Amino acid sequence: MATYELFSQKLKTVNIGLPSFGEDLITQEVETVLVDWQIPAGGSTELVNALKVIENAEVEEANKLTVERMLSGEPVLIGMERAQDVILGMGPRSIFHSGPPLTWERMCPGVQRAVLGAIIFEGWAKDRESALEVVKNNEVEFSPNHFHGAVGPMTGIISPSMPVWVVENRTFGNRAYSTLNEGKGVTLWYGDFDDSTIEKLNWFREVFGPSVKKALDKQSGTINPFNLVAQGLSMGDEVHVRCQATTALLIKELVPLLADAGVEGSDIAAMVRFMARNNTFSLNLAMAACKSVMDAAHGVPNSTIVTAMTRNGTDFGLRVGGLGDQWFITDAPALEECLYYAGFSVEDAVADIGDSSIIETTGFGGMTFASAPTIASFVGGGVKDAIELNKQMASITYGKNKNFAIPNMDFAGSPTGLDIRKVVGSRIVPIIDTGVIHKDAGIGQIGAGVAHAPINVFEQAVLAMAKTMSTKQ
Amino acid sequence: MATYELFSQKLKTVNIGLPSFGEDLITQEVETVLVDWQIPAGGSTELVNALKVIENAEVEEANKLTVERMLSGEPVLIGMERAQDVILGMGPRSIFHSGPPLTWERMCPGVQRAVLGAIIFEGWAKDRESALEVVKNNEVEFSPNHFHGAVGPMTGIISPSMPVWVVENRTFGNRAYSTLNEGKGVTLWYGDFDDSTIEKLNWFREVFGPSVKKALDKQSGTINPFNLVAQGLSMGDEVHVRCQATTALLIKELVPLLADAGVEGSDIAAMVRFMARNNTFSLNLAMAACKSVMDAAHGVPNSTIVTAMTRNGTDFGLRVGGLGDQWFITDAPALEECLYYAGFSVEDAVADIGDSSIIETTGFGGMTFASAPTIASFVGGGVKDAIELNKQMASITYGKNKNFAIPNMDFAGSPTGLDIRKVVGSRIVPIIDTGVIHKDAGIGQIGAGVAHAPINVFEQAVLAMAKTMSTKQ
């Protein structure tokens, strides 16, 4: 006998262990959106012709398969390990970062500072000056997280001894990784550090990480990140910049596992206090889950579905399902339409940054903007504006995933499967919810809002795909 | 330096420690609502005349003061104690129940069964038959929770050894009490019991209650229930039938206190698992907080603001701020407009039941219906219908409390201060969100939805108030 059972029936939970593609999980009605009429593909003959080449049944079939893979992906939290023990390609002197590949010289100041902080945290140098020496002497190897099944928000720095969430996509067997979210204060992810930063990272390495490892080693696979995401979407989160509910849900799942594993009460208290005051704590876990799903969905020949978008304050990179290991790269966009704290403007800001756009790539964040009315002000208005924007996002995707319902859109599913053809044809680009960091040290966050993915990487990808398909025929 | 700080700025948190009434906290714009035109007060000359008598500056002033008291109330969780140790008027053989006073004979079957369960739990009888003997021999004393500063959802049974939340309204010093929510399964609050029910109540008494007591004795007053409510409203709860977010927030506040107090890890694990699977766990705490606020707001002469609505499956009772200890009582309404599980109908259902309507009385639940899109189906539609209904509720209240913002209404405050004059004049009655229980044993919940407060108690109260004011003049 169930009590108050009916109240939760509207919540669409994740279809766990879906054996094969449930056609009924995705809907494909055409979305009517209010936008100024645009000349298709901006009037470029080259693009219009390229779009014609890739508007065909082969691509449709490939996209269907890609989205099937996305929907059948089942990310499960299986552990927490030191990065160097689990991430392929991570050497003893590796430092991984967000976005496309970077040399030290091309890193934005925030990423550079975070790298120096990681070097000190790892004990490879005592202070900023000697850390800089370590870099100049080529004693560290840089590589993008995305090349190693990993993701990190903002600067996204991962160094060898940091604990990482280990998420396995049960359907396909691949794994993905992300660090613990540092929360507020002076932090590496926000591109800065001081003694408190290093102290917190040490606590992660010595206490938080090993405690969660102990808990998950004992009860591996009991936490399903997409189940938390589905619930979070019905509780005011878009699970990118607002993760308040998802974090609370994660805490209530995690605590019994920690207690069962015999973690000290004082450590549990400190860990829960830290998580409870960090409303983006669950972000990194959700990102790892998304990464595990998108990596498994990548690689279907002829697919025009986006499988990664990522930025690092310098470059913006786009990966497309049917275009193999190519990354389409352009400048990371300036954050012109964000809301800035008093006294700051886009002039002060690092450009768009972080692997966290894997959230939008998978169909959350900006794709489920209407689920978080508390951030409706990001798009200059109320819930109505948020819903309108969300409809625009739906218009550039393959369909809507019923597993992830948006309450304010009368439980329409989340827009899923960003299609480069639809982006280029309509010139509607994905929005990416984001925080904004100052260029200089000692300031940190100066705003928040939405970034717009740059159209030209989508154009490059459309041309590349058209070329590939023409060559084959 | 704050990270992602902006994202939480839209959340209106409780104005803690408000020294005096903040005029800016309440707004009073006139609400345009879509209702069929009604003859004022249903065309009754007696009521129309009574309304004329009480439409005056004295009442306006009294209502303003009542709402000021509501807004300045600051409920704080100060402890968890055995009911008999803290609730005034609770004797060693008392059993308290929801709604207006009842004799055994007039109790609905669900309340009767819950009483028998409580007798067995207290050890006053071994089984149903001997428990019934205890009742027949007048060995127990019945009294309504509301007469003792207490509240309980559904059957609302409180017996002497049950642990109760102790909430103090810091502004006025009065206290209120409510039991631990039993959650799903065969439960007293849903009007039934079996061995599992008694086992859970024993665990509450022996483990859960004492553990929370230990935690709160050490760190009393650190949990602010209205702060949780304010956050819950921005996270998909209307904090009556949907308390999923508020419960998660309560868990993350409670765990560090439990751990700090040295509660065993195995007990913490069991407690968190219980709370995590009980999405109405926070309801009773919110009810006690509401009760502490409404009791302090009660008693302003000439006030036409409702200070309690309560029901017990037999009677519905209404208390009004300026009408002292009078309760206006009528039959508890049948739950005709609820949604029933397949195979059940209103014929099977116990009538409207529970003290939980203290939630609506204070300005949540049905008053903030639009904040919980997941239960929009209760009113036969989508978010739009929920918003329309919420506007109707606003039209029968004094104003809107900005401390409790409803995201889907572009952060309008919660409708606060139900005015019997507006109810009778417009014939729009408060809605009360509710679960539905079967009359017979062994079935439990059979539906959920909204109940409509019966108009005639509001009419009785209007006539009584008019009489009082006429007599004085």
Side-chain angles (χ1 to χ4, degrees):
Chain A
M1 184 176 18
T3 58
Y4 277 105
E5 199 57 72
L6 197 68
F7 311 127
S8 57
Q9 287 186 359
K10 262 297 175 86
L11 175 67
K12 306 292 193 302
T13 52
V14 174
N15 192 336
I16 293 166
L18 195 71
S20 67
F21 182 56
E23 190 68 51
D24 56 331
L25 280 179
I26 198 103
T27 56
Q28 283 197 290
E29 73 271 24
V30 175
E31 200 66 64
T32 313
V33 293
L34 303 171
V35 283
D36 295 335
W37 185 81
Q38 299 268 2
I39 306 168
S44 151
T45 317
E46 192 188 10
L47 287 171
V48 169
N49 288 339
L51 284 172
K52 275 183 198 155
V53 173
I54 60 177
E55 289 286 354
N56 60 47
E58 246 176 306
V59 172
E60 292 303 331
E61 195 52 41
N63 289 355
K64 183 165 180 281
L65 182 57
T66 304
V67 173
E68 278 175 21
R69 287 197 185 175
M70 288 173 69
L71 266 71
S72 66
E74 189 199 347
V76 171
L77 174 59
I78 60 165
M80 174 153 284
E81 304 290 344
R82 289 200 173 206
Q84 63 190 352
D85 296 341
V86 286
I87 303 184
L88 286 179
M90 174 158 262
R93 287 283 181 141
S94 288
I95 291 186
F96 292 171
H97 58 78
S98 57
L102 281 176
T103 56
W104 170 259
E105 291 70 25
R106 294 192 69 249
M107 286 176 184
C108 73
V111 173
Q112 286 186 335
R113 284 192 299 269
V115 164
L116 298 181
I119 289 171
I120 293 170
F121 160 67
E122 291 292 346
W124 304 335
K126 293 275 178 216
D127 52 30
R128 277 167 208 261
E129 290 64 38
S130 52
L132 195 58
E133 280 304 302
V134 168
V135 172
K136 300 285 184 194
N137 296 336
N138 293 316
E139 291 170 27
V140 289
E141 283 182 302
F142 298 120
S143 191
N145 294 322
H146 259 294
F147 289 13
H148 305 271
V151 276
M154 303 304 280
T155 66
I157 296 300
I158 308 182
S159 66
S161 74
M162 289 181 181
V164 290
W165 298 108
V166 183
V167 173
E168 182 171 288
N169 182 338
R170 259 196 193 150
T171 316
F172 298 96
N174 62 307
R175 295 183 179 184
Y177 314 93
S178 190
T179 49
L180 286 166
N181 187 285
E182 299 165 82
K184 298 176 183 177
V186 182
T187 56
L188 293 195
W189 76 306
Y190 265 90
D192 211 349
F193 72 98
D194 62 14
D195 290 349
S196 74
T197 317
I198 307 299
E199 201 180 313
K200 192 188 286 171
L201 292 174
N202 279 327
W203 179 64
F204 280 177
R205 180 170 56 191
E206 308 307 330
V207 179
F208 201 116
S211 299
V212 175
K213 174 178 167 50
K214 214 166 142 185
L216 295 177
D217 282 354
K218 206 175 165 193
Q219 293 177 72
S220 178
T222 57
I223 295 179
N224 181 315
F226 273 10
N227 206 324
L228 303 182
V229 165
Q231 290 180 67
L233 291 175
S234 75
M235 296 164 77
D237 284 359
E238 37 70 271
V239 300
H240 188 168
V241 298
R242 184 162 168 109
C243 310
Q244 190 144 350
T246 318
T247 294
L249 296 170
L250 176 58
I251 293 171
K252 76 179 193 180
E253 298 264 332
L254 213 45
V255 167
L257 308 189
L258 291 167
D260 285 349
V263 173
E264 286 290 324
S266 56
D267 288 336
I268 291 179
M271 291 166 72
V272 172
R273 284 207 167 89
F274 171 75
M275 293 187 281
R277 287 169 194 164
N278 174 2
N279 284 329
T280 48
F281 182 76
S282 65
L283 172 62
N284 300 28
L285 175 60
M287 284 170 59
C290 288
K291 173 69 173 164
S292 79
V293 165
M294 295 316 301
D295 276 1
H298 181 74
V300 178
N302 303 320
S303 168
T304 58
I305 301 295
V306 175
T307 55
M309 296 188 288
T310 183
R311 347 61 111 196
N312 53 31
T314 303
D315 295 325
F316 184 106
L318 176 79
R319 184 179 69 164
V320 178
L323 288 168
D325 291 338
Q326 289 181 75
W327 284 80
F328 300 91
I329 294 175
T330 189
D331 291 347
L335 299 171
E336 284 169 352
E337 291 177 44
C338 287
L339 303 177
Y340 286 86
Y341 297 159
F344 297 107
S345 76
V346 65
E347 311 298 323
D348 305 305
V350 162
D352 199 16
I353 184 166
D355 294 327
S356 59
S357 37
I358 194 72
I359 296 282
E360 277 77 9
T361 309
T362 315
F364 314 123
M367 298 292 124
T368 51
F369 198 79
S371 60
T374 46
I375 60 167
S377 60
F378 284 10
V379 292
V383 178
K384 235 179 80 182
D385 306 274
I387 290 171
E388 201 47 53
L389 184 64
N390 218 139
K391 284 185 184 167
Q392 283 190 22
M393 292 304 107
S395 75
I396 53 172
T397 59
Y398 179 88
K400 292 177 190 154
N401 183 350
K402 289 187 197 166
N403 274 334
F404 301 101
I406 305 173
N408 281 343
M409 299 181 77
D410 285 325
F411 296 92
S414 66
T416 300
L418 278 165
D419 188 341
I420 57 169
R421 299 174 307 168
K422 295 185 177 181
V423 171
V424 171
S426 68
R427 301 189 77 75
I428 296 172
V429 294
I431 59 161
I432 300 165
D433 300 341
T434 189
V436 188
I437 19 181
H438 200 283
K439 285 172 181 166
D440 300 337
I443 300 174
Q445 187 176 16
I446 56 171
V450 296
H452 294 266
I455 186 89
N456 67 340
V457 280
F458 294 89
E459 292 172 347
Q460 288 175 44
V462 160
L463 294 174
M465 180 62 84
K467 199 173 160 191
T468 306
M469 293 199 86
S470 311
T471 314
K472 273 195 303 185
Q473 279 155 2
Chain B
M1 185 176 19
T3 58
Y4 276 104
E5 200 56 73
L6 197 68
F7 311 128
S8 56
Q9 288 186 357
K10 262 299 176 84
L11 174 67
K12 305 292 193 301
T13 53
V14 174
N15 191 335
I16 293 166
L18 196 70
S20 67
F21 182 55
E23 190 67 51
D24 56 330
L25 280 178
I26 198 102
T27 56
Q28 282 197 290
E29 72 271 25
V30 175
E31 199 67 63
T32 313
V33 293
L34 303 172
V35 283
D36 295 336
W37 186 81
Q38 300 268 1
I39 306 169
S44 151
T45 317
E46 191 188 12
L47 287 171
V48 169
N49 289 338
L51 283 172
K52 275 183 199 155
V53 173
I54 60 176
E55 290 285 354
N56 60 47
E58 248 175 306
V59 172
E60 292 303 331
E61 195 52 40
N63 289 355
K64 183 165 179 281
L65 182 57
T66 304
V67 173
E68 278 176 20
R69 287 197 186 175
M70 288 173 70
L71 266 70
S72 65
E74 189 199 346
V76 171
L77 174 59
I78 60 165
M80 174 153 284
E81 304 290 344
R82 288 200 174 207
Q84 62 190 351
D85 296 340
V86 286
I87 303 184
L88 286 179
M90 173 157 262
R93 286 283 181 141
S94 288
I95 291 186
F96 292 171
H97 57 78
S98 57
L102 282 176
T103 56
W104 170 260
E105 291 70 26
R106 293 192 69 249
M107 286 176 184
C108 74
V111 173
Q112 287 186 334
R113 284 192 299 268
V115 164
L116 298 181
I119 288 170
I120 293 170
F121 160 67
E122 290 292 346
W124 304 335
K126 292 275 179 216
D127 52 30
R128 277 167 207 261
E129 291 64 38
S130 52
L132 195 57
E133 280 305 302
V134 168
V135 172
K136 300 285 184 193
N137 296 336
N138 292 317
E139 291 170 28
V140 289
E141 284 183 301
F142 298 120
S143 191
N145 294 322
H146 259 294
F147 289 13
H148 305 271
V151 276
M154 303 304 281
T155 66
I157 295 301
I158 309 182
S159 66
S161 73
M162 289 181 181
V164 290
W165 298 108
V166 183
V167 173
E168 182 171 287
N169 182 337
R170 259 196 194 151
T171 316
F172 298 95
N174 62 307
R175 295 184 180 184
Y177 314 93
S178 191
T179 50
L180 286 166
N181 188 285
E182 298 165 83
K184 298 176 184 178
V186 181
T187 56
L188 293 196
W189 76 306
Y190 265 89
D192 210 349
F193 72 98
D194 62 14
D195 290 348
S196 74
T197 317
I198 307 299
E199 200 180 312
K200 192 188 287 173
L201 292 173
N202 279 326
W203 179 64
F204 280 177
R205 179 170 57 190
E206 308 307 330
V207 179
F208 201 116
S211 299
V212 175
K213 174 177 167 49
K214 214 166 143 186
L216 295 177
D217 282 354
K218 206 176 165 193
Q219 292 177 72
S220 177
T222 57
I223 295 180
N224 181 316
F226 273 10
N227 206 324
L228 304 182
V229 165
Q231 291 180 68
L233 291 175
S234 75
M235 295 164 76
D237 284 359
E238 38 69 271
V239 300
H240 189 168
V241 299
R242 183 160 169 110
C243 310
Q244 190 144 350
T246 318
T247 295
L249 296 170
L250 176 58
I251 293 171
K252 76 179 193 179
E253 297 264 332
L254 212 45
V255 167
L257 307 189
L258 292 167
D260 285 348
V263 172
E264 286 289 323
S266 56
D267 288 336
I268 292 180
M271 291 167 72
V272 172
R273 283 206 167 89
F274 171 75
M275 293 187 281
R277 287 169 193 163
N278 174 1
N279 284 329
T280 48
F281 182 76
S282 65
L283 172 62
N284 300 28
L285 175 60
M287 285 171 59
C290 288
K291 173 69 172 164
S292 78
V293 165
M294 295 316 300
D295 276 1
H298 181 73
V300 178
N302 303 320
S303 168
T304 58
I305 301 295
V306 175
T307 55
M309 297 189 288
T310 182
R311 18 0 150 218
N312 53 31
T314 303
D315 295 324
F316 183 106
L318 176 79
R319 184 179 68 163
V320 178
L323 287 168
D325 291 339
Q326 289 181 74
W327 285 80
F328 301 91
I329 294 175
T330 189
D331 292 347
L335 299 171
E336 284 169 352
E337 291 177 43
C338 286
L339 303 177
Y340 286 86
Y341 297 159
F344 297 107
S345 76
V346 65
E347 311 298 323
D348 305 305
V350 162
D352 199 15
I353 185 166
D355 294 327
S356 59
S357 37
I358 194 72
I359 296 282
E360 277 76 8
T361 309
T362 315
F364 314 123
M367 298 292 124
T368 50
F369 198 79
S371 60
T374 46
I375 60 167
S377 60
F378 284 10
V379 292
V383 178
K384 234 179 81 181
D385 306 274
I387 290 171
E388 201 47 54
L389 184 64
N390 218 139
K391 284 185 184 168
Q392 284 190 22
M393 292 304 107
S395 75
I396 53 172
T397 59
Y398 178 87
K400 292 177 190 154
N401 183 350
K402 289 187 197 167
N403 274 334
F404 301 101
I406 305 173
N408 281 343
M409 300 182 77
D410 285 326
F411 297 92
S414 65
T416 300
L418 278 165
D419 188 341
I420 56 169
R421 300 175 307 169
K422 294 186 177 179
V423 171
V424 171
S426 68
R427 300 189 77 75
I428 295 172
V429 293
I431 59 161
I432 300 164
D433 300 340
T434 190
V436 188
I437 19 182
H438 200 283
K439 285 172 182 167
D440 299 338
I443 300 174
Q445 187 177 16
I446 55 171
V450 296
H452 294 265
I455 186 88
N456 66 340
V457 280
F458 294 88
E459 292 172 346
Q460 288 175 44
V462 160
L463 294 174
M465 180 61 83
K467 200 173 161 192
T468 306
M469 293 199 85
S470 310
T471 314
K472 273 195 304 184
Q473 279 154 359

